[in-house]
Every structure is written in C-alpha cells, then in structure tokens.
Amino acid sequence: MAEGKRDIVEVLKAIDRRIIFLLIALAVILPLAFHLVFSVHSSPIVEAIFDKVESLPPGSKVLISFDYGPSTVPENQPMAEAVARHVLHKDLKLYMMAVWATGPPQTEVLIRNVIQTDFQDKVYGVDWINLGYKAGNQGLINAILLDLKGMYTTDINGTGIGEFEMMRDVDNLTDMSLIICIGSGFPGVREWVQFAGDPGDIPVAGGVTAVEAPLLYPYYPRQLLGLMGGLQGAAEYEAALVSKYPQFEASSEQAIQLMGPQTVAHLVIIAFVVVGNIAFFAERRRERRRKA
Amino acid sequence: MRVQIPLIITFIVGIALIVAIFVPHDPFHRMNEEFSVYFDLIAVFAFILGGGNLLKIHGNRISRRSRDWKYSIVTVVGFLTMLIVGAFKIGGPPGLTGDVTAEGSWFKFMYDSVFVSCQATMFSLLAFFVASASYRAFRAKTKEATLLLIAAFIILIGRTPLGHYMTGWLPQQLEFLHIPNLSNWILSIPNMAGQRAIMIGIALGIISTSLKLILGIERSYLGGEGK
C-alpha cells in the first residue's frame, strides 16, 4: 500500500462523525419527505391497554396523567391522543391531570387536536375535565389516592371542583376504572403503580419513551396491565384503534407515519455497527498475521 | 438539642408512616393522608429553596469567574426572565387568578418559542450521538459483547415494522423465531430478570438507609458532618 493512502479497513475503522451525522439526518428527512409509511401490528402488551378501554362500560372513569415535557412529545403525544380519542369514543369520562409542570401545555395540545376536532359534542365538566398540575410528585399521587377533592379544589381554570357533574361522585383515585400515565421519567408510570395502582387496587397502564420501557417490564402484567413503549408503542395503539374504528384513520396515525423515519434510522445505526465490527475483525486478523 | 430534636422528629414521623402503611385503619389510615398533604406543602416550598439554591450556585460561579461561568449567566438570566414574566403575568390576564399560560402572555410565548425548541433540540441530538457512539463502541470483542450485540440488533429491528416484514412469512411452528416475538422475549424474560434484581437491590438499600435515618445512626442530613 502506498504511503499516505489509507486502505479500506482504515477507512471503515475511522469514519468521520460528520458522515454519520449526515446519514442519520438523511435517514430521518428522506422518509418524511417521501411519506414512507409501514404497516404496524400491535403487540400483546399494547393490546392489553386497548382491550381494557374496550371492555369498560360507558360512563366509566379514566384518568390520564400527562407526565412529560416537550422533549419527548413525538413519542408521548401520539399515545395520549390515541388513548383519549378511544376513551371519548367509548363514552367514558376523561379526567386529565399532570404531575409534571410541563404536562398542562401538552393537555392543551390534546384538547385542540382531539376534543375540539373530533369530539365537539363532548361537554366540559360532564364528559371530560382538566384538573391541571399540582406539585408533590409521588406525594401528590399518594394524597389523591385517599382524597382527590382535598388536593384538587378547583380545575385548571380555577372553577370550584364541586360545580362539575363528573366530579360529584369522585372522592379519590379508587373511583377511577383505569389510570393511564403517559410519562417520560420521574415521577411517572413507576410512581403511579407504587402509590396508586398497588395500594388502591386500581388498574394502571402506561405509555413511556423507548428508553424507559425496559425498566417497567418487572411490573407487567400484574401491576401494570399494559405498556406503550416509545414511538412503536404509540403506533401499535394507533394501529389497534384504526383497525377497530377506521373513521380515525385520518386523525390518528401520527406515530404510524413517524415510524418510517425511525425504521430507516434504526437500519442506518445497524449498518454502522456492522461496518465498525467488520473493520474491527479485519484489523484483528491482520495483527494476528503480522505476529505469526 | 439542635441534634436531638430533629432526630426525635425523624424517629416519630418514620415510625408513624410505617405504621400508617401497614395498619390501614383509622387513625393511622388518616395519618397517611395528612402526612401526604404536609409533603405536598413542603414540596411547594422546595420550589423557593430550589430557586434560591440555583441563584446562589450560579451567582458564585459568575462572581468568581469559575470554569464555564458564561453559561451560568445564561442560566440566571433565563431563570429570572421566566420568573418575572410568569410572576407578573406580563401580557396576560393580571391578578392572582390570571392564567399565566393564556394566549398573548409573554410566559406562553417564551415557553413555546424558547423552552419547547431547546428541549426538542437537546433530545433530538441524542439520535446523532447514539449512532456515532454505537459505531465506535459496539464491538463483538468477547462472547458477552457478542450476545449484547445480537440482542441489540433484534431489539432494533423488532421495535420497528421491519421485523414483521423480515420474518412474518415464518410458519406457525417457527413463530418463536419471528423477530418481534424474539424482541418481546428479550424484554420480558432476560431484561425483566435483570431489572428485578436491580430493583430488589435498590429496595434493600433504601430500607437499610431508611432504618439508619429513623434510628438516628445516619445523621449526615443534619449537617455538621454527622456530629
């Protein structure tokens, strides 16, 4: 090999990080630009949540806690919207709250995208309510397990909680038929299981980022009835929803559409790991030959 | 007395909370609820403490021109700006009950335009660093590393629709080799076993530390290096 000229192993071993960044950027941009969409199949752990919502009789109370912020919106928001759409379509009562200070703005997004778009006939305080954020993390969950009205004396707009029809027969969390925490860290699904689901014997389901999902498997299925993990989890719920209710095909396929870029990005990462290993083994072989 | 009184309070509250959890009848049951409310009250005051602490630490860094002190200016300016526009409800409905996030308020504008964009950018950058780090560090150097690599490939493919495309054609008898099923198996069996072991270890650690605190053996939280 001529001096100053690198062979293929050297090139593969030291790919400039700017090339990696560029390929990852293209892996995300191109599928978005060309609307690359794959069909998604739901897994048992996500179907369990869908089936639970399906099985609840009309009028049952479902609490969704928005425990995430803007950083994880692409993963968490589609889950929240798909579940809320399903809950309202089944004529269940939707209670929304947040243990994260960044949760209420996401609730507002959901109200715009789901309630004001697809469920204009649903009445605030009768079919759905927004309780807002309160400080206290797991302490708050523990407190509302025993006395919800004591902690939430008003809704997010400052209206007395007693004025809402759907709050009249709610004293604490045990009145809920299902709690769904859409979260991305602490406090999140784990705290809802430990401080509400377990002590109150209330079914708890979760929707979390892909990074957090493996940490919650020890609770599934006895303490956590189902889990949506990352964008894939959200897409699986959307797939189940659209399959049963095709009228939501136009409005409830955010995550399914985002799975295109994610799939290609995963493939690019796998390709880089393979390339890195080819270079590693080629170099090791070369060193062995040199020593021999 | 400065040491004994906090120790007595810790002992009484610690024992009371344990009893409240294990005896779900009044008055202990009620006690659990009351303590939760106190906890929430203290949590609200913690915001003031946290804000003061942030100003103190970054103020010191700026005044001493410590390493990266310029970033501390950004932190303090960002914190004070959000605090002022939020507390005085600039641009939004005034008064104590005025909605700080109402349309037109500066707080909402800054939240949507600065905070949301910054958080989204920070999280998005992870994809680039994960790709770069995987390429550089993920090597099949040992048997264990090879197993980890194979598991990572299965999860990466299994958590996308590709898994179905690649192995969806497998006959019923070989369904366990279907990549999404393999991915679920890895998450539900080996991952869960590892996570449970870690969780049990953490729980035992928390129990032992809590007992040390309740019994007054661990006193570092009182300050004064445990004297």
Side-chain angles (χ1 to χ4, degrees), chain B:
Chain B
M1 286 298 273
R2 283 177 63 188
V3 174
Q4 275 142 350
I5 289 174
L7 284 178
I8 291 166
I9 293 172
T10 310
F11 179 78
I12 293 170
V13 173
I15 295 294
L17 280 172
I18 292 173
V19 173
I21 288 286
F22 287 101
V23 185
H25 304 286
D26 280 335
F28 305 110
H29 183 63
R30 209 73 220 153
M31 222 158 61
N32 187 18
E33 186 188 324
E34 298 295 335
F35 275 119
S36 296
V37 175
Y38 289 137
F39 181 87
D40 293 338
L41 288 172
I42 294 166
V44 174
F45 283 104
F47 279 112
I48 300 167
L49 190 70
N53 202 24
L54 182 134
L55 285 176
K56 190 182 163 193
I57 289 171
H58 288 278
N60 280 342
R61 273 194 200 161
I62 295 165
S63 64
R64 288 175 191 166
R65 300 280 194 275
S66 307
R67 191 166 167 259
D68 295 333
W69 63 277
K70 286 168 190 165
Y71 297 122
S72 292
I73 295 178
V74 177
T75 307
V76 171
V77 169
F79 173 71
L80 290 177
T81 309
M82 288 303 273
L83 185 69
I84 290 164
V85 297
F88 293 102
K89 302 190 175 158
I90 300 171
L96 270 177
T97 54
D99 183 6
V100 73
T101 58
E103 283 302 325
S105 72
W106 286 25
F107 186 88
K108 181 164 172 54
F109 171 75
M110 294 193 68
Y111 182 89
D112 290 341
S113 314
V114 182
F115 182 70
V116 170
S117 315
C118 286
Q119 274 220 337
T121 307
M122 290 298 292
F123 209 68
S124 306
L125 285 175
L126 276 179
F128 296 94
F129 293 123
V130 165
S132 178
S134 305
Y135 161 68
R136 277 167 227 291
F138 233 157
R139 298 278 193 267
K141 287 179 182 170
T142 58
K143 278 177 197 163
E144 291 84 357
T146 311
L147 269 178
L148 197 66
L149 198 65
I150 294 166
F153 280 175
I154 293 170
I155 298 283
L156 275 170
I157 297 171
R159 299 296 297 161
T160 64
L162 265 187
H164 278 279
Y165 288 112
M166 287 169 73
T167 52
W169 50 269
L170 283 170
Q172 190 95 34
Q173 300 91 316
L174 296 174
E175 208 182 33
F176 66 97
L177 288 175
H178 187 35
I179 291 178
N181 291 346
L182 282 175
S183 167
N184 283 337
W185 182 84
I186 290 169
L187 285 167
S188 308
I189 309 293
N191 164 66
M192 187 163 73
Q195 294 293 346
R196 277 196 177 148
I198 293 167
M199 284 167 73
I200 291 168
I202 292 171
L204 291 173
I206 291 172
I207 291 169
S208 89
T209 308
S210 304
L211 282 175
K212 277 186 186 174
L213 284 167
I214 290 168
L215 298 174
I217 299 165
E218 168 64 55
R219 300 180 180 194
S220 57
Y221 70 97
L222 296 170
E225 292 166 4
K227 282 175 202 167

Side-chain angles (χ1 to χ4, degrees), chain A residues 216-255:
Chain A
L216 294 165
Y217 270 75
Y219 297 105
Y220 172 76
R222 288 181 64 184
Q223 292 155 295
L224 187 66
L225 75 91
L227 183 68
M228 293 174 277
L231 196 62
Q232 171 77 5
E236 287 178 19
Y237 200 95
E238 285 181 353
L241 184 68
V242 169
S243 160
K244 177 99 184 179
Y245 305 106
Q247 65 266 40
F248 295 127
E249 195 173 333
S251 56
S252 200
E253 284 206 333
Q254 287 180 68

